[in-house]
Amino acid sequence: MRRESLLILSALASEPRHGYAIIKKVAELSADQKQLRPGTLYAALGRFEADGLVEIDREEVVDGRNRRYYRITSSGRRRLVDLVGQRSRELEAIRGQLTVGGLS
Amino acid sequence: MRERQTLADARAEKQVRRWLRVYPSSWREHHGDALVDTFLASGTGERRLDRRDKIDILRSSIRVRTHAMATKVARARSHDLLRHLALYFLTVQCAVATVVAWRAVHIGKLFTADLTPLWQSVVVASMASWLAALLAVASGRPRTARAIATTTLLLSAGVGLLRALEADPLPPNATASVFVGALAVIPVATIWCSSSWPTLTGSSMGWLVFGGLLAATGVWTFGFRPHIRIGGELDILVNAWSVGTIGVAVGSLLRRPVALRSETT
């Protein structure tokens, strides 16, 4: 799974969010390193929805436009936990290599 | 000021909606409004799509189309496989039914139980129904096949097993009856998987299956002993229900749509 997908799932882990709130949260989580664009965001959300990782929480009409909130499903949460564990192990292994190489 | 912003929003929305045409229409219908809202919310009211936004839309539309195509292919493959499996299992079932019918007609027995001419004709009718279901699958009519096979399963399992077990409820007769009954569930379940009729889901399915399994256990363990009858002649219905629900449960479990687990992005 790509980094942006991981960040999107992470952004939904704490509470349901609408598209723009997800973009802001992703920027926050990545320390402003990742500026997600709406096209990429909704393509990912569509895939996640099809795979049962996220679902629509509610819809509101704001300024005459449809604002949709997404929430993570239990399956999505499990996937996120797995991915975070996997990334952590990879980082640990890399850190170990740096130690062996005397770079840290 | 407010009026100016509304006008800018309307212009921006028009532009975004024009660019949304690059997505598949079904996707656009589902996500289009939310995407427009996100675009406009992320701007200050005078936002226009810049070059990077346009590239992002084009790139993500390709991803959406690729993902939709990959999912379609996976589902088609899954359905093809199930159709082949249904054909295979039905062939096996027809072979078994033919042997059973041959024994019923020529030896006058269903497993070890004696059969009257009336019961013999029931067994032969069951074999003919399995053959009809096989022909229906082979000619691409899964709905017809499913109706025939499910009816045959319910009738032959309910009536046939009860008749055999009533005559001799102990092994090997009972074992053979249960084995043949379980074997008959497989093609029916496969046909249910390969066709697109809606099936019961959720808690209703859970209760139905639970009740079916409970009834199956009870009936097959105790219900057919001559001195212990649960519902008199109605035991036929209990048996049919139990076998049928197991078939439907297996079918529904296997019928879940295949989603691509490996992300392509």
Side-chain angles (χ1 to χ4, degrees):
Chain A
M1 184 177 271
R2 282 173 61 144
R3 180 167 163 247
E4 68 196 16
S5 302
L6 186 64
L7 287 167
I8 293 168
L9 280 181
S10 307
L12 291 170
S14 56
E15 60 179 331
R17 291 179 203 276
H18 58 79
Y20 182 51
I22 296 173
I23 290 176
K24 281 200 297 186
K25 190 67 185 173
V26 164
E28 184 193 320
L29 288 171
S30 65
D32 286 331
Q33 293 296 304
K34 187 74 193 172
Q35 292 297 330
L36 207 58
R37 288 180 182 273
T40 303
L41 171 67
Y42 279 93
L45 285 174
R47 281 195 312 276
F48 292 163
E49 210 182 340
D51 289 348
L53 303 179
V54 302
E55 61 191 4
I56 296 168
D57 182 66
R58 64 184 188 277
E59 288 183 332
E60 288 172 1
V61 177
V62 179
D63 292 339
R65 291 191 304 269
N66 206 17
R67 179 161 292 178
R68 182 179 292 165
Y69 287 75
Y70 284 91
R71 66 163 173 260
I72 194 165
T73 61
S74 51
S75 164
R77 199 172 287 279
R78 277 198 300 276
R79 183 88 181 269
L80 181 61
V81 170
D82 285 349
L83 286 167
V84 169
Q86 191 184 325
R87 288 283 161 110
S88 301
R89 285 192 294 278
E90 282 172 9
L91 286 174
E92 278 305 311
I94 293 167
R95 199 169 288 131
Q97 289 300 305
L98 290 176
T99 311
V100 170
L103 295 170
S104 70
Chain B
M1 180 67 187
R2 171 81 187 156
E3 205 173 289
R4 211 174 123 192
Q5 189 171 332
T6 310
L7 198 67
D9 269 359
R11 262 206 309 268
E13 181 172 346
K14 199 174 167 188
Q15 188 196 22
V16 175
R17 286 199 184 277
R18 204 165 50 236
W19 273 87
L20 288 186
R21 287 181 199 153
V22 298
Y23 291 101
S25 59
S26 57
W27 191 94
R28 200 166 56 228
E29 276 166 27
H30 186 56
H31 297 287
D33 286 348
L35 202 151
V36 169
D37 174 67
T38 304
F39 257 117
L40 298 183
S42 59
T44 55
E46 294 183 4
R47 183 175 156 81
R48 304 276 295 169
L49 292 180
D50 61 22
R51 192 173 55 88
R52 286 196 296 183
D53 284 329
K54 290 171 186 170
I55 291 171
D56 180 58
I57 286 178
L58 286 174
R59 204 172 50 185
S60 65
S61 74
I62 292 169
R63 278 187 201 160
V64 167
R65 285 179 188 281
T66 312
H67 187 258
M69 273 166 56
T71 309
K72 262 186 198 168
V73 169
R75 282 190 180 151
R77 273 188 195 156
S78 156
H79 279 142
D80 275 353
L81 177 68
L82 285 168
R83 267 196 288 274
H84 283 101
L85 280 177
L87 204 59
Y88 171 76
F89 286 131
L90 265 178
T91 309
V92 172
Q93 182 59 28
C94 281
V96 172
T98 306
V99 171
V100 171
W102 185 87
R103 280 178 58 85
V105 172
H106 291 276
I107 307 176
K109 283 182 182 296
L110 180 64
F111 312 124
T112 59
D114 290 331
L115 286 178
T116 61
L118 176 66
W119 285 109
Q120 287 176 18
S121 52
V122 169
V123 175
V124 173
S126 147
M127 180 202 71
S129 297
W130 286 116
L131 280 171
L134 176 64
L135 284 174
V137 167
S139 58
R141 292 181 175 82
R143 293 165 75 161
T144 311
R146 192 165 82 174
I148 296 172
T150 307
T151 310
T152 311
L153 172 70
L154 294 178
L155 289 179
S156 59
V159 180
L161 287 182
L162 181 64
R163 176 69 190 88
L165 290 170
E166 259 187 344
D168 179 6
L170 299 173
N173 208 35
T175 318
S177 302
V178 171
F179 175 73
V180 173
L183 196 67
V185 168
I186 298 172
V188 176
T190 323
I191 298 169
W192 276 72
C193 298
S194 62
S195 55
S196 55
W197 273 8
T199 53
L200 288 172
T201 52
S203 58
S204 55
M205 166 57 84
W207 281 110
L208 194 63
V209 171
F210 174 72
L213 288 172
L214 199 67
T217 311
V219 170
W220 284 344
T221 311
F222 302 111
F224 289 106
R225 292 184 183 163
H227 61 286
I228 308 174
R229 297 300 301 271
I230 296 173
E233 296 304 320
L234 289 178
D235 279 355
I236 292 173
L237 297 177
V238 178
N239 193 26
W241 172 46
S242 63
V243 176
T245 48
I246 294 169
V248 174
V250 174
S252 297
L253 285 174
L254 294 175
R255 194 177 158 272
R256 285 185 178 169
V258 176
L260 289 181
R261 287 290 132 211
S262 56
E263 200 182 350
T264 51
T265 55

